[in-house]
Amino acid sequence: MQTITLKLELQKPTKEKMAMYQKMTAINTAFSNWLLHFDGLQTATSKVFKHFSDKPFPAAVVNQTIQTVKSKKKKQKTKTFRRMWCGFNNQNFKVERENRLYKVSFPTQEKRIGVPVVCKDHQKPWLDKLLSSEVKQGTTELFEKRGRWFVAISFSFEVEQKQADQAQAKTMGIDIGMRQLATCSIGTTSIFFPGKELGYRRRRFATRRRKLGSLKKLEAIRKSKNKESDWVKETNHKISRQIIRFALDNGVHLIRMEDLTGIRHFRKSKKEAGRTLHRWSHYQLQQFIAYKAQMAGLLVEYVNPTYTSQMCKCGHVDKRNRDRNAFCCRKCGYRSHADINAAINISKAVSGLSEEKSKKN
């Protein structure tokens, strides 16, 4: 059973509604902290809210908060909550569609309300599957981020593992880098995802923040970091979707990537390249590829990164084999694009599978 979470923005809520969401969040946070010290927490029901406050509050949110507090107190030994967003289960939170518009409805302090949501193209199929009962709806959270309100809806569904005959089985290797954010290779078929735009945009963000720093505009710096983070995350989502589509179109059943654990600590490079590498979310991109692959029924394995960029298909290893984007074997003279050669080596797991990563998966 696979689980994903879909984040949908509420479409232009009024000031009154946003104020109501904020008030509900404040009450729910205070209630959560009260629950942490309530002796009857383990057997508590929605009726316990009367002991906390005589103000009206949705029983659906109360029940969900009780379950969340129980879990976090037991498993995480939580002592206090800075914020507890309002949560709903699948019986109290509904998704509907009117013509081409998607709406959600949930109980509030005043009444049950319906709110239109902003739905991106890649999200619509999941909502359609929910409406046709192809996926099972889980819990939902109402939360705010940088002045905008969202709902995070969880879905669970069965994934049929793709089967392939040994003779027809295809493996795709993915090389993660800076000049090419990702290079995918399936036999003689390859695809590149250049990192030039990402590097340019991130340098622009860094330059702007240095100027803001000299002016002591700390809030503007924070907003710039958030904007950059959002842009990189969206870029990684787009790339990972294209990679999985490429894999499915070419009959791949297994994806292999390098285990890049700790690369920020042992990789040395020039100052600018090192800074870009440190900030670049290669781990996030790998995560997005992995979970999207699993949703598509594809297997994912991680290989040791040792020598994947230096080894020739003849087996000769020499760091001089690679010169930036060019690969030329010092022994047999084989030539290729360096990233394609690395992706092929990754697909073959020439350095072996990563035991540490395999244990975690």
Side-chain angles (χ1 to χ4, degrees):
M1 184 74 74
Q2 293 288 329
T3 301
I4 65 165
T5 300
L6 216 60
K7 185 176 77 171
L8 303 172
E9 183 179 357
L10 302 187
Q11 192 175 67
K12 297 180 180 179
T14 63
K15 291 183 179 180
E16 291 75 16
K17 284 186 176 179
M18 288 194 289
M20 179 176 61
Y21 302 154
Q22 288 282 14
K23 185 178 179 181
M24 288 176 62
T25 302
I27 294 174
N28 199 43
T29 302
F31 175 55
S32 300
N33 286 309
W34 178 84
L35 276 176
L36 284 172
H37 307 286
F38 179 60
D39 292 335
L41 175 60
Q42 294 305 315
T43 57
T45 65
S46 60
K47 295 181 180 180
V48 77
F49 189 83
K50 294 180 180 179
H51 298 288
F52 168 73
S53 173
D54 57 359
K55 297 179 181 179
F57 203 69
V61 177
V62 173
N63 284 325
Q64 193 60 44
T65 299
I66 291 172
Q67 296 303 316
T68 301
V69 172
K70 281 183 184 178
S71 176
K72 289 186 178 293
K73 184 176 182 179
K74 181 179 179 180
K75 297 179 181 179
Q76 301 178 15
K77 309 299 181 183
T78 302
K79 300 298 182 182
T80 186
F81 294 102
R82 292 182 60 187
R83 184 184 288 110
M84 177 66 76
W85 302 113
C86 294
F88 312 88
N89 60 29
N90 56 7
Q91 296 178 334
N92 308 114
F93 187 93
K94 300 297 180 183
V95 177
E96 302 167 315
R97 184 180 60 196
E98 292 183 4
N99 298 321
R100 296 183 179 181
L101 182 67
Y102 293 90
K103 296 200 311 182
V104 298
S105 62
F106 50 89
T108 65
Q109 280 184 289
E110 300 173 0
K111 60 180 180 179
R112 187 178 187 87
I113 61 172
V115 185
V117 292
V118 178
C119 187
K120 299 178 181 178
D121 289 340
H122 70 273
Q123 295 174 325
K124 292 177 182 178
W126 289 106
L127 294 180
D128 290 337
K129 287 181 180 180
L130 174 63
L131 294 172
S132 61
S133 300
E134 294 179 53
V135 297
K136 184 178 179 181
Q137 181 181 333
T139 58
T140 299
E141 188 175 75
L142 172 68
F143 69 98
E144 179 263 342
K145 186 176 182 181
R146 300 166 203 162
R148 297 151 62 193
W149 284 89
F150 301 83
V151 288
I153 314 172
S154 63
F155 301 99
S156 57
F157 53 95
E158 294 289 348
V159 175
E160 182 178 350
Q161 198 70 51
K162 292 190 178 298
Q163 302 295 328
D165 295 333
Q166 196 64 30
Q168 300 177 338
K170 291 185 180 181
T171 300
M172 179 171 75
I174 303 176
D175 180 50
I176 303 293
M178 289 186 293
R179 291 187 179 89
Q180 304 294 335
L181 298 182
T183 303
C184 309
S185 180
I186 310 167
T188 58
T189 305
S190 303
I191 186 173
F192 294 94
F193 295 90
K196 187 175 182 179
E197 183 184 1
L198 184 141
Y200 171 74
R201 293 282 290 267
R202 300 201 79 166
R203 287 191 292 272
R204 285 284 300 273
F205 277 116
T207 300
R208 173 171 168 73
R209 283 197 292 273
R210 282 196 296 270
K211 292 180 180 179
L212 292 172
S214 64
L215 298 173
K216 308 298 183 183
K217 295 186 177 182
L218 302 181
E219 182 62 20
I221 292 175
R222 184 187 66 80
K223 289 182 178 180
S224 175
K225 288 182 178 179
N226 290 337
K227 188 175 181 179
E228 179 184 7
S229 177
D230 285 347
W231 185 82
V232 173
K233 184 176 181 180
E234 184 62 28
T235 298
N236 281 339
H237 268 304
K238 289 178 180 178
I239 292 174
S240 58
R241 282 195 292 270
Q242 291 178 55
I243 288 174
I244 299 306
R245 193 177 303 118
F246 176 70
L248 294 174
D249 290 344
N250 286 276
V252 168
H253 85 290
L254 170 63
I255 292 176
R256 282 178 174 158
M257 297 182 284
E258 288 179 310
D259 177 7
L260 299 179
T261 304
I263 190 172
R264 293 181 179 181
H265 302 293
F266 67 71
R267 182 74 174 266
K268 293 183 180 180
S269 58
K270 293 180 181 180
K271 183 177 180 181
E272 178 63 26
R275 182 163 62 243
T276 303
L277 176 66
H278 180 77
R279 295 180 306 178
W280 178 57
S281 53
H282 59 272
Y283 178 70
Q284 184 187 70
L285 177 58
Q286 282 195 335
Q287 280 187 314
F288 290 172
I289 293 171
Y291 90 76
K292 286 180 173 66
Q294 291 168 356
M295 287 193 298
L298 304 177
L299 296 173
V300 177
E301 291 180 347
Y302 293 88
V303 305
N304 294 321
T306 311
Y307 305 131
T308 54
S309 64
Q310 302 175 16
M311 183 179 290
C312 176
K313 64 180 182 179
C314 72
H316 179 65
V317 178
D318 191 327
K319 64 180 181 180
R320 295 175 299 172
N321 285 348
R322 176 167 187 165
D323 182 15
R324 295 181 179 272
N325 292 332
F327 182 91
C328 180
C329 181
R330 293 287 178 131
K331 182 178 180 180
C332 71
Y334 169 73
R335 293 177 179 273
S336 176
H337 189 288
D339 291 327
I340 291 179
N341 182 72
I344 292 174
N345 286 336
I346 292 168
S347 70
K348 295 177 179 178
V350 294
S351 299
L353 298 177
S354 169
E355 294 182 6
E356 182 178 350
K357 202 80 171 183
S358 299
K359 289 178 182 178
K360 292 180 180 180
N361 292 332

